[in-house]
Amino acid sequence: MKRSGPLFTLLAGLLLALFMLSLNVTSGTRSTSTGSESSGDVVSASPTPTASPPSGKPSASPSPSPSKTAVPNADYAGRTDDDSSAIAVTLRDGKAVAYFCDGKDQESWLKGDVKADGSMRLTGQNGNVLTGDLKGKQIRGTVDMGQRKYGFTADKAVKPSGLYRATATVRGAEVDGGWIVLPSGQQVGILNRAGKPSPAPRIDPETGAVTVDGQKLTAKPVTP
């Protein structure tokens, strides 16, 4: 029975050691948890930044609208629908100049722009207006002379047909003449001497030569 005393003591010490070891392990775990909590609120991990979605696909440069080709340079000449007057139109680089003339005492010089579709609105003195449309090799339109409006058709002209003008001083008077040479060879024009209109003398369509009151002048093709 005496031998059981040391054995009991040894067993008690072993149990105590196991108890202390278990206590330390538990305390360590709690300590770790406490340490994590003592640092404050649990900080959630920041989400991985994601690239902002593009506001939209890079807009492609707008396709340029097909450019309309400007009307070709050309000359046109013809008569009014009532055959009382003549009309000539010259087109150059999107600009136009026109001459309306009855060969007696009524005339008008008009000018303006020509749109890519061939339409035009030309203006002259005294509120005169020519409106027309180029279709193929022909211009159809009207000339508003104020008191009267004339419809006309002008076909594409081949030299020497077309529009001519001469200005000079003859015997102290200012002279201004305009001529329309039609495809048929007929000429319609007015010569103003100091502002007084009269039928114009015939010009040489090949050279533009014309004699006015004994003085030789040169009528030149008219361009805008």
Side-chain angles (χ1 to χ4, degrees):
M1 297 298 294
K2 291 183 179 181
R3 292 182 181 178
S4 61
L7 182 60
F8 178 79
T9 301
L10 179 60
L11 182 58
L14 182 59
L15 291 175
L16 179 61
L18 290 174
F19 174 77
M20 293 301 295
L21 179 62
S22 175
L23 182 61
N24 287 339
V25 171
T26 303
S27 299
T29 301
R30 290 180 178 175
S31 176
T32 302
S33 300
T34 303
S36 299
E37 294 174 359
S38 65
S39 62
D41 296 337
V42 176
V43 179
S44 59
S46 300
T48 303
T50 58
S52 300
S55 58
K57 293 182 179 180
S59 57
S61 300
S63 301
S65 57
S67 58
K68 295 182 178 180
T69 305
V71 295
N73 297 338
D75 302 318
Y76 299 83
R79 299 191 66 86
T80 56
D81 295 346
D82 63 1
D83 203 34
S84 67
S85 307
I87 186 79
V89 184
T90 300
L91 308 183
R92 294 291 186 276
D93 302 324
K95 302 289 184 180
V97 60
Y99 182 52
F100 169 89
C101 174
D102 67 358
K104 300 174 183 177
D105 57 10
Q106 188 177 35
E107 66 175 351
S108 181
W109 291 94
L110 311 103
K111 61 178 60 179
D113 297 328
V114 183
K115 295 182 180 180
D117 63 0
S119 62
M120 63 192 77
R121 185 179 187 278
L122 315 182
T123 57
Q125 293 183 346
N126 303 318
N128 300 332
V129 178
L130 180 152
T131 56
D133 289 286
L134 171 62
K135 301 294 183 183
K137 297 182 179 181
Q138 189 178 80
I139 296 176
R140 286 279 301 164
T142 60
V143 178
D144 188 345
M145 294 294 290
Q147 295 181 349
R148 185 176 175 184
K149 183 179 290 186
Y150 300 81
F152 73 88
T153 300
D155 296 315
K156 189 173 183 180
V158 179
K159 296 297 183 185
S161 298
L163 179 57
Y164 298 83
R165 191 173 191 177
T167 57
T169 300
V170 178
R171 296 182 180 181
E174 294 295 325
V175 172
D176 184 5
W179 290 264
I180 297 172
V181 179
L182 298 168
S184 63
Q186 180 185 6
Q187 296 184 16
V188 182
I190 287 180
L191 183 70
N192 285 280
R193 294 179 178 87
K196 296 181 180 181
S198 62
R202 186 178 178 83
I203 65 172
D204 180 348
E206 296 294 339
T207 63
V210 60
T211 301
V212 177
D213 298 337
Q215 182 172 327
K216 290 184 178 180
L217 305 178
T218 300
K220 297 181 180 180
V222 178
T223 58

